[in-house]
Amino acid sequence: MKIVEYKMHQLIMRLKQPYRFASYEYRTRPINILMIKDELGNIGLGEVEAFEFPNYVDEIQSQCVRSINTRIMPLLGGKNYETPFEFSRFINSMNSPKMASAAVEMAVWDLFSKRNNVSFQQLLFSTIGQMNNLPAKVEVGVAIGIHNNSIQMIDEIQKQIDKGYNRIKLKINRGTKISDLVEIRRHFPKVLMMIDCNSQFGLRDKSFFQSIDNLDFAMIEQPFGKKDFKDHAKLQSIIRTPICLDENILTSDDVMKVFNKHSGQYINMKIARVGGVSNALAMTNLAIQNGLKVWCGGMLETGVGRAFNLAFASLPFFQFPGDISASDRYYINDITEQSFMINNGEMSIPQGDGIGVNLSHMAQIAFDNEEWINLG
Ligand SMILES: [Mg+2]
């Protein structure tokens, strides 16, 4: 397979309500959608999932777009590859931002599935030697941005439970009060719930985590710094609640550090953060082989990224519902024709060739105005 042309278009996604995490509040999310075309005219879709500013990991949207236009696509053009894994190896060798590599590599998987008249899910499962009885649905959960007090948080949690979510993730920061978390658990003692700290705390806050250790959270995600493994291990040694790592898992080496240093028990795997589907698959395998538990995270994706996540999260490795929310969760207008609905805590995996989604009429018009860029 050869990639002969591509185009990319930036959409400004408007959030339904401001989304607060770490130290920033987002009202809009610029996100670039990538289309790549092979020599037979098949088209694959990918998306650049980096945020506008470096408050999750260091990579940002504009840097990834530049890298795709000036480095990745020109180098990929005209070369022939037999499998998405070959593409992935070549893209990895460029040492580009991971979320830039992932956008291209995701589009390659979509394109490769379409060329072979199979769904992305079927292609993915064939790589682990499983061809039949693929799951039609996956268990999913919702992430709730930071709110100022327990009344607002309880109100928001109830709304999400009423919509059908069975697993809740609360974003917190150093302004979050222990009493608010106690109040939330008193209100929802049975709900599968976890917290995500987005690296906002340090070991100096260990008493905060000791105080909430008896609140039966399923896990505490990324309490400490993006490069820290040592202090996470210290915290894990004094609390019962499992620690989950997100921001600092970029490579297979990072997975092994979690295992060797006992930094945590779970890994939140994100296709974009680790540079694509092939890397995510390899790292998930490595984590499982070493007794770590893995689940599939989310990045406020559009319908394109969500379709990838759903198929990926349906793999048999995952031991916790993914952060994959319904189409009506974040954006005023999503960009795919197909919408994703939650039903009793589960979401259906799109069927059809590739990732099984098309751009909506409005998004397609925006794309039609972009010129294809020939890669020779
Ligand atoms: Mg996280």
Side-chain angles (χ1 to χ4, degrees):
M1 180 176 94
K2 276 184 190 164
I3 301 172
V4 294
E5 288 183 321
Y6 81 100
K7 58 164 106 173
M8 193 155 43
H9 183 76
Q10 177 167 283
L11 298 148
I12 306 291
M13 305 297 291
R14 284 174 55 215
L15 285 153
K16 282 188 167 172
Q17 58 185 84
Y19 191 76
R20 261 177 83 195
F21 76 93
S23 53
Y24 195 76
E25 180 174 280
Y26 283 95
R27 288 166 190 270
T28 56
R29 165 136 162 78
I31 199 161
N32 279 266
I33 303 294
L34 173 74
M35 277 185 184
I36 59 173
K37 198 192 273 181
D38 70 5
E39 75 282 16
L40 305 176
N42 296 298
I43 290 172
L45 288 173
E47 74 181 20
V48 181
E49 292 183 4
F51 288 104
E52 189 175 4
F53 303 114
N55 38 18
Y56 167 62
V57 290
D58 294 342
E59 295 177 4
I60 56 171
Q61 184 77 205
S62 56
Q63 164 207 24
C64 291
V65 167
R66 194 179 327 117
S67 176
I68 291 170
N69 280 323
T70 60
R71 184 156 163 82
I72 302 178
M73 294 315 299
L75 285 173
L76 273 186
K79 293 198 176 59
N80 200 32
Y81 298 93
E82 296 301 320
T83 72
F85 295 107
E86 275 184 34
F87 265 103
S88 174
R89 274 193 291 277
F90 187 65
I91 295 171
N92 283 343
S93 73
M94 294 178 202
N95 201 19
S96 299
K98 300 240 178 237
M99 295 199 202
S101 304
V104 179
E105 202 249 14
M106 285 156 79
V108 166
W109 278 87
D110 183 32
L111 185 53
F112 204 82
S113 319
K114 285 173 179 158
R115 252 177 106 93
N116 289 285
N117 303 112
V118 293
S119 69
F120 167 57
Q121 188 196 25
Q122 286 170 314
L123 183 60
L124 202 52
F125 273 71
S126 72
T127 70
I128 60 160
Q130 194 177 321
M131 315 290 279
N132 300 312
N133 303 320
L134 306 192
K137 297 180 221 176
V138 289
E139 275 194 285
V140 298
V142 66
I144 295 176
I146 293 167
H147 286 73
N148 290 331
N149 60 59
S150 64
I151 297 168
Q152 283 180 3
M153 281 163 112
I154 287 168
D155 188 49
E156 186 62 31
I157 294 166
Q158 190 60 54
K159 267 191 217 152
Q160 301 307 326
I161 291 172
D162 293 343
K163 283 184 183 162
Y165 291 101
N166 296 337
R167 194 229 74 189
I168 305 284
K169 169 157 122 179
L170 300 175
K171 296 274 192 186
I172 68 163
N173 65 11
R174 297 187 81 218
T176 305
K177 294 193 202 80
I178 293 168
S179 57
D180 285 348
L181 296 177
V182 170
E183 186 58 20
I184 287 165
R185 282 318 258 164
R186 201 185 58 76
H187 223 89
F188 303 103
K190 296 266 156 59
V191 174
L192 184 60
M193 206 179 284
M194 58 178 289
I195 54 173
D196 185 1
C197 313
N198 286 109
S199 311
Q200 295 296 293
F201 294 79
L203 198 56
R204 64 188 178 281
D205 304 303
K206 68 173 190 278
S207 64
F208 174 89
F209 295 101
Q210 286 174 308
S211 303
I212 61 168
D213 199 23
N214 61 353
L215 294 182
D216 201 27
F217 287 118
M219 64 190 84
I220 296 169
E221 187 173 325
Q222 195 75 36
F224 301 160
K226 297 171 188 181
K227 297 202 166 92
D228 171 76
F229 291 90
K230 207 173 71 211
D231 287 352
H232 279 113
K234 282 186 189 154
L235 180 64
Q236 185 65 95
S237 72
I238 57 166
I239 60 170
R240 191 178 48 94
T241 312
I243 289 176
C244 170
L245 293 175
D246 173 358
E247 278 89 335
N248 51 352
I249 308 299
L250 303 176
T251 63
S252 294
D253 282 353
D254 296 328
V255 172
M256 289 318 292
K257 280 183 200 159
V258 181
F259 171 72
N260 288 324
K261 295 180 190 289
H262 308 287
S263 310
Q265 301 174 40
Y266 281 89
I267 286 174
N268 171 345
M269 187 57 69
K270 293 180 183 169
I271 295 170
R273 193 194 60 227
V274 302
V277 174
S278 311
N279 291 353
L281 202 54
M283 288 166 67
T284 299
N285 252 314
L286 183 67
I288 299 288
Q289 279 163 18
N290 287 288
L292 298 167
K293 297 181 188 124
V294 188
W295 58 283
C296 180
M299 291 280 296
L300 275 73
E301 289 84 357
T302 72
V304 171
R306 191 181 293 113
F308 280 98
N309 280 352
L310 279 167
F312 192 72
S314 76
L315 286 164
F317 311 117
F318 297 103
Q319 286 151 302
F320 193 74
D323 270 344
I324 310 171
S325 305
S327 302
D328 65 359
R329 169 73 183 119
Y330 296 120
Y331 300 118
I332 291 171
N333 289 307
D334 207 329
I335 62 159
T336 53
E337 215 170 63
Q338 296 79 358
S339 53
F340 296 85
M341 252 98 85
I342 181 98
N343 190 359
N344 197 21
E346 292 184 320
M347 207 178 287
S348 297
I349 298 151
Q351 300 300 307
D353 291 354
I355 54 170
V357 296
N358 319 89
L359 294 183
S360 66
H361 183 62
M362 289 305 289
Q364 189 59 54
I365 288 173
F367 256 94
D368 289 345
N369 290 326
E370 294 279 348
E371 295 286 323
W372 283 101
I373 298 166
N374 195 297
L375 295 171

Coordinates of all heavy atoms in Angstrom, one line a residue, residues 122-181:
Q122 N -12.1 -5.9 13.1 CA -11.7 -7.3 12.6 C -10.2 -7.3 12.3 O -9.6 -8.3 12.7 CB -12.5 -7.6 11.3 CG -13.9 -7.9 11.6 CD -14.7 -7.9 10.3 OE1 -14.6 -7.1 9.4 NE2 -15.6 -9.0 10.1
L123 N -9.7 -6.3 11.8 CA -8.2 -6.2 11.5 C -7.4 -6.3 12.8 O -6.5 -7.1 12.9 CB -7.9 -4.9 10.7 CG -6.4 -4.8 10.3 CD1 -6.0 -5.9 9.3 CD2 -6.2 -3.5 9.6
L124 N -7.9 -5.6 13.8 CA -7.2 -5.5 15.1 C -7.2 -6.9 15.7 O -6.2 -7.4 16.2 CB -7.9 -4.5 16.0 CG -7.3 -3.9 17.1 CD1 -6.0 -3.3 16.8 CD2 -8.2 -2.8 17.7
F125 N -8.4 -7.6 15.7 CA -8.5 -8.9 16.3 C -7.7 -9.9 15.5 O -7.2 -10.9 16.1 CB -10.0 -9.3 16.5 CG -10.6 -8.8 17.8 CD1 -10.9 -7.4 17.9 CD2 -10.9 -9.6 18.8 CE1 -11.4 -6.9 19.1 CE2 -11.4 -9.2 20.0 CZ -11.7 -7.8 20.2
S126 N -7.6 -9.8 14.2 CA -6.8 -10.7 13.4 C -5.4 -10.7 13.8 O -4.7 -11.7 13.8 CB -7.0 -10.5 11.9 OG -6.3 -9.3 11.6
T127 N -4.9 -9.5 14.3 CA -3.5 -9.4 14.7 C -3.2 -10.2 16.0 O -2.0 -10.4 16.3 CB -3.0 -7.9 14.9 OG1 -3.6 -7.4 16.0 CG2 -3.3 -7.1 13.7
I128 N -4.2 -10.5 16.8 CA -4.0 -11.3 18.0 C -4.6 -12.7 17.8 O -4.8 -13.4 18.7 CB -4.6 -10.6 19.2 CG1 -6.2 -10.4 19.1 CG2 -4.0 -9.3 19.6 CD1 -6.9 -10.3 20.4
G129 N -4.8 -13.0 16.5 CA -5.2 -14.4 16.2 C -6.6 -14.8 16.5 O -7.0 -15.9 16.6
Q130 N -7.5 -13.7 16.7 CA -8.9 -14.0 17.0 C -9.7 -13.4 15.9 O -9.8 -12.2 15.7 CB -9.2 -13.4 18.4 CG -10.5 -13.9 19.0 CD -10.8 -13.2 20.4 OE1 -9.8 -13.1 21.2 NE2 -12.0 -12.9 20.6
M131 N -10.4 -14.3 15.2 CA -11.2 -13.9 14.0 C -12.7 -13.9 14.2 O -13.4 -13.3 13.4 CB -10.8 -14.7 12.8 CG -9.3 -15.0 12.6 SD -8.4 -13.5 12.2 CE -8.8 -13.5 10.4
N132 N -13.2 -14.7 15.2 CA -14.6 -14.9 15.3 C -15.1 -14.4 16.6 O -14.4 -14.1 17.6 CB -14.9 -16.4 15.2 CG -14.5 -16.9 13.9 OD1 -14.8 -16.4 12.9 ND2 -13.8 -18.1 13.9
N133 N -16.5 -14.2 16.7 CA -17.2 -13.8 17.9 C -16.6 -12.5 18.5 O -16.3 -12.5 19.7 CB -17.2 -14.9 19.0 CG -17.8 -16.2 18.4 OD1 -18.8 -16.1 17.7 ND2 -17.2 -17.3 18.8
L134 N -16.5 -11.5 17.7 CA -15.9 -10.3 18.2 C -17.0 -9.6 19.0 O -18.2 -9.6 18.6 CB -15.5 -9.4 17.0 CG -14.5 -10.0 16.1 CD1 -13.9 -8.9 15.2 CD2 -13.4 -10.7 16.8
P135 N -16.7 -8.9 20.1 CA -17.7 -8.2 20.9 C -18.4 -7.1 20.0 O -17.7 -6.4 19.2 CB -16.9 -7.6 22.0 CG -15.5 -8.1 21.9 CD -15.3 -8.7 20.6
A136 N -19.7 -7.0 20.2 CA -20.4 -5.9 19.5 C -20.5 -4.6 20.4 O -20.8 -3.6 19.8 CB -21.8 -6.4 19.2
K137 N -20.2 -4.8 21.7 CA -20.3 -3.6 22.6 C -19.2 -3.6 23.5 O -18.6 -4.7 23.8 CB -21.6 -3.7 23.4 CG -22.9 -3.7 22.6 CD -24.0 -3.8 23.6 CE -25.1 -4.7 23.2 NZ -26.1 -4.9 24.1
V138 N -18.9 -2.5 24.1 CA -17.9 -2.4 25.2 C -18.5 -1.6 26.4 O -19.3 -0.7 26.2 CB -16.6 -1.8 24.8 CG1 -15.8 -2.7 23.9 CG2 -16.7 -0.4 24.1
E139 N -18.0 -1.9 27.6 CA -18.4 -1.1 28.8 C -17.6 0.2 28.7 O -16.4 0.1 28.5 CB -17.9 -1.9 30.0 CG -19.0 -2.9 30.5 CD -18.6 -3.4 31.9 OE1 -17.6 -4.2 32.0 OE2 -19.2 -2.9 32.8
V140 N -18.3 1.2 29.0 CA -17.6 2.5 29.0 C -17.9 3.3 30.2 O -18.9 3.0 31.0 CB -18.0 3.4 27.7 CG1 -17.6 2.7 26.5 CG2 -19.5 3.7 27.7
G141 N -17.2 4.4 30.4 CA -17.4 5.3 31.6 C -17.3 6.7 31.1 O -16.9 7.0 30.0
V142 N -17.6 7.6 32.1 CA -17.5 9.1 31.7 C -16.6 9.8 32.7 O -16.5 9.4 33.9 CB -18.9 9.7 31.8 CG1 -19.5 9.7 33.2 CG2 -19.0 11.0 31.2
A143 N -15.9 10.8 32.1 CA -15.0 11.6 33.0 C -15.7 13.0 33.2 O -16.2 13.6 32.3 CB -13.6 11.8 32.3
I144 N -15.7 13.4 34.4 CA -16.3 14.7 34.8 C -15.2 15.7 35.2 O -14.4 15.4 36.0 CB -17.3 14.4 36.0 CG1 -18.4 13.5 35.5 CG2 -17.8 15.8 36.5 CD1 -19.4 13.2 36.6
G145 N -15.3 16.9 34.5 CA -14.3 17.9 34.8 C -14.4 18.4 36.2 O -15.3 18.1 36.9
I146 N -13.4 19.3 36.6 CA -13.4 19.8 38.0 C -14.5 20.7 38.3 O -14.9 21.6 37.4 CB -12.0 20.5 38.2 CG1 -10.9 19.5 38.1 CG2 -12.0 21.3 39.5 CD1 -9.5 20.1 38.0
H147 N -15.2 20.5 39.4 CA -16.3 21.4 39.8 C -15.9 21.9 41.2 O -15.1 21.4 41.9 CB -17.6 20.6 39.9 CG -18.2 20.3 38.6 ND1 -17.7 19.4 37.8 CD2 -19.3 20.9 38.0 CE1 -18.4 19.4 36.7 NE2 -19.4 20.3 36.8
N148 N -16.5 23.1 41.5 CA -16.0 23.8 42.7 C -16.5 23.2 44.1 O -15.8 23.4 45.1 CB -16.5 25.3 42.7 CG -15.7 26.0 41.6 OD1 -14.6 25.6 41.3 ND2 -16.3 27.0 41.0
N149 N -17.6 22.5 44.1 CA -18.1 22.0 45.4 C -18.8 20.7 45.2 O -19.2 20.4 44.1 CB -18.9 23.1 46.1 CG -20.1 23.5 45.2 OD1 -20.9 22.6 44.9 ND2 -20.2 24.7 44.9
S150 N -19.1 20.1 46.3 CA -19.7 18.8 46.3 C -21.1 18.8 45.7 O -21.6 17.9 45.1 CB -19.7 18.1 47.7 OG -20.5 18.8 48.6
I151 N -21.8 19.9 45.9 CA -23.2 20.0 45.4 C -23.2 19.9 43.9 O -23.9 19.2 43.3 CB -23.9 21.2 45.9 CG1 -24.0 21.2 47.5 CG2 -25.3 21.4 45.3 CD1 -24.4 22.4 48.2
Q152 N -22.3 20.7 43.3 CA -22.2 20.7 41.8 C -21.7 19.3 41.3 O -22.2 18.8 40.3 CB -21.2 21.8 41.4 CG -21.7 23.2 41.4 CD -20.6 24.1 40.9 OE1 -19.5 23.7 40.5 NE2 -20.9 25.4 41.0
M153 N -20.8 18.8 42.0 CA -20.3 17.5 41.6 C -21.3 16.4 41.7 O -21.5 15.6 40.8 CB -19.1 17.1 42.5 CG -17.8 17.8 42.1 SD -16.5 17.7 43.4 CE -15.3 16.6 42.7
I154 N -22.1 16.4 42.8 CA -23.1 15.4 43.0 C -24.2 15.5 41.9 O -24.7 14.6 41.3 CB -23.7 15.5 44.4 CG1 -22.7 14.9 45.4 CG2 -25.1 14.7 44.5 CD1 -23.0 15.2 46.9
D155 N -24.5 16.8 41.6 CA -25.5 17.1 40.6 C -25.1 16.5 39.2 O -25.8 15.9 38.5 CB -25.7 18.6 40.5 CG -26.8 19.0 39.6 OD1 -27.9 18.4 39.8 OD2 -26.6 19.9 38.8
E156 N -23.8 16.8 38.9 CA -23.2 16.3 37.6 C -23.1 14.8 37.6 O -23.4 14.2 36.5 CB -21.8 17.0 37.4 CG -21.2 16.7 36.1 CD -22.0 17.3 34.9 OE1 -22.7 18.3 35.0 OE2 -21.9 16.6 33.8
I157 N -22.7 14.2 38.7 CA -22.6 12.7 38.7 C -24.0 12.1 38.5 O -24.2 11.2 37.7 CB -22.0 12.2 40.0 CG1 -20.6 12.7 40.2 CG2 -22.1 10.7 40.1 CD1 -20.0 12.5 41.6
Q158 N -25.0 12.7 39.1 CA -26.4 12.1 39.0 C -26.8 12.2 37.6 O -27.4 11.3 37.0 CB -27.3 12.9 39.9 CG -28.7 12.2 40.0 CD -28.7 10.8 40.5 OE1 -28.1 10.5 41.6 NE2 -29.2 9.9 39.8
K159 N -26.5 13.4 36.9 CA -26.9 13.5 35.5 C -26.3 12.4 34.6 O -27.0 11.9 33.8 CB -26.4 14.9 35.0 CG -27.4 16.0 35.1 CD -26.8 17.2 34.3 CE -27.2 18.5 35.1 NZ -26.2 19.6 34.8
Q160 N -25.0 12.1 34.9 CA -24.4 11.1 34.1 C -24.9 9.7 34.4 O -25.1 8.9 33.4 CB -22.9 11.2 34.3 CG -22.2 12.5 33.9 CD -22.6 13.0 32.5 OE1 -22.7 12.2 31.6 NE2 -22.7 14.3 32.4
I161 N -25.2 9.5 35.6 CA -25.8 8.1 36.0 C -27.2 8.0 35.3 O -27.5 7.0 34.7 CB -25.9 8.0 37.5 CG1 -24.5 7.9 38.1 CG2 -26.8 6.8 37.9 CD1 -24.5 7.9 39.6
D162 N -28.0 9.1 35.3 CA -29.3 9.1 34.6 C -29.2 8.8 33.1 O -30.1 8.2 32.5 CB -30.0 10.4 34.9 CG -30.4 10.6 36.3 OD1 -30.4 9.6 37.1 OD2 -30.7 11.7 36.7
K163 N -28.0 9.2 32.6 CA -27.8 9.0 31.1 C -27.4 7.6 30.8 O -27.4 7.1 29.7 CB -26.7 9.9 30.6 CG -27.3 11.4 30.4 CD -26.2 12.2 29.8 CE -26.7 13.6 29.7 NZ -25.6 14.6 29.5
G164 N -27.1 6.8 31.9 CA -26.7 5.4 31.6 C -25.3 5.0 31.9 O -24.9 3.9 31.7
Y165 N -24.5 6.0 32.4 CA -23.1 5.6 32.7 C -23.0 4.8 34.1 O -23.7 5.3 35.0 CB -22.2 6.8 32.8 CG -22.0 7.5 31.5 CD1 -22.7 8.6 31.1 CD2 -21.1 7.0 30.5 CE1 -22.6 9.2 29.9 CE2 -20.9 7.6 29.3 CZ -21.7 8.7 29.0 OH -21.5 9.3 27.8
N166 N -22.3 3.8 34.1 CA -22.1 3.0 35.3 C -20.8 3.2 36.0 O -20.5 2.6 37.0 CB -22.3 1.5 35.0 CG -23.6 1.1 34.5 OD1 -24.6 1.9 34.8 ND2 -23.7 0.0 33.8
R167 N -19.9 3.9 35.3 CA -18.6 4.2 35.9 C -18.2 5.7 35.7 O -18.3 6.2 34.6 CB -17.5 3.3 35.1 CG -16.2 3.3 35.8 CD -15.0 3.6 34.9 NE -15.0 5.0 34.6 CZ -14.2 5.6 33.7 NH1 -13.4 4.8 32.9 NH2 -14.2 6.9 33.4
I168 N -17.8 6.3 36.8 CA -17.6 7.7 36.9 C -16.2 8.0 37.2 O -15.6 7.4 38.2 CB -18.5 8.4 38.0 CG1 -20.0 8.1 37.7 CG2 -18.2 9.9 38.0 CD1 -20.7 8.8 36.6
K169 N -15.5 8.9 36.5 CA -14.2 9.4 36.8 C -14.3 10.9 37.2 O -14.8 11.7 36.4 CB -13.3 9.2 35.6 CG -11.9 9.8 35.8 CD -10.9 9.1 34.9 CE -10.3 10.1 33.9 NZ -9.3 9.4 33.1
L170 N -13.8 11.2 38.3 CA -13.8 12.6 38.8 C -12.5 13.2 38.6 O -11.5 12.7 39.1 CB -14.2 12.7 40.2 CG -15.5 12.2 40.7 CD1 -15.6 12.3 42.2 CD2 -16.7 13.0 40.1
K171 N -12.4 14.3 37.9 CA -11.1 15.1 37.8 C -11.0 15.9 39.1 O -12.0 16.6 39.4 CB -11.2 16.0 36.6 CG -11.3 15.3 35.2 CD -9.9 14.9 34.8 CE -9.9 14.5 33.3 NZ -8.6 14.0 32.9
I172 N -9.9 15.9 39.7 CA -9.7 16.7 40.9 C -8.4 17.5 40.8 O -7.5 17.2 40.0 CB -9.7 15.9 42.2 CG1 -8.5 15.0 42.3 CG2 -11.0 15.0 42.3 CD1 -8.3 14.5 43.8
N173 N -8.2 18.5 41.6 CA -6.9 19.2 41.8 C -6.7 19.5 43.2 O -7.5 19.1 44.1 CB -6.8 20.4 40.8 CG -7.8 21.5 41.2 OD1 -8.4 21.5 42.3 ND2 -7.9 22.5 40.4
R174 N -5.7 20.3 43.5 CA -5.3 20.6 44.9 C -6.3 21.4 45.6 O -6.3 21.5 46.8 CB -3.9 21.2 45.0 CG -2.8 20.2 44.5 CD -1.4 20.7 44.7 NE -1.0 20.4 46.1 CZ -0.3 21.2 46.8 NH1 0.1 22.4 46.3 NH2 0.1 20.9 48.0
G175 N -7.3 22.0 44.9 CA -8.3 22.7 45.5 C -9.5 21.8 46.0 O -10.4 22.3 46.7
T176 N -9.5 20.6 45.6 CA -10.6 19.7 46.0 C -10.5 19.3 47.5 O -9.4 19.0 48.0 CB -10.5 18.3 45.1 OG1 -10.4 18.7 43.8 CG2 -11.6 17.4 45.4
K177 N -11.6 19.4 48.1 CA -11.6 19.1 49.6 C -11.9 17.7 49.8 O -12.8 17.1 49.2 CB -12.7 20.0 50.3 CG -12.4 21.5 50.2 CD -13.4 22.2 51.2 CE -13.6 23.6 50.9 NZ -14.5 23.9 49.8
I178 N -11.2 17.1 50.9 CA -11.5 15.8 51.3 C -13.0 15.6 51.7 O -13.6 14.6 51.3 CB -10.6 15.4 52.5 CG1 -9.1 15.4 52.0 CG2 -11.0 14.0 53.1 CD1 -8.1 15.3 53.2
S179 N -13.5 16.6 52.3 CA -14.9 16.5 52.8 C -15.9 16.4 51.6 O -16.9 15.8 51.7 CB -15.3 17.7 53.6 OG -15.0 18.9 52.9
D180 N -15.5 17.1 50.5 CA -16.4 16.9 49.3 C -16.4 15.5 48.7 O -17.4 15.0 48.3 CB -15.9 17.9 48.2 CG -16.3 19.4 48.5 OD1 -17.1 19.6 49.4 OD2 -15.7 20.3 47.8
L181 N -15.2 14.9 48.7 CA -15.1 13.5 48.2 C -15.8 12.6 49.2 O -16.5 11.6 48.7 CB -13.6 13.1 48.1 CG -12.8 13.9 47.0 CD1 -11.4 13.5 46.9 CD2 -13.5 13.7 45.6

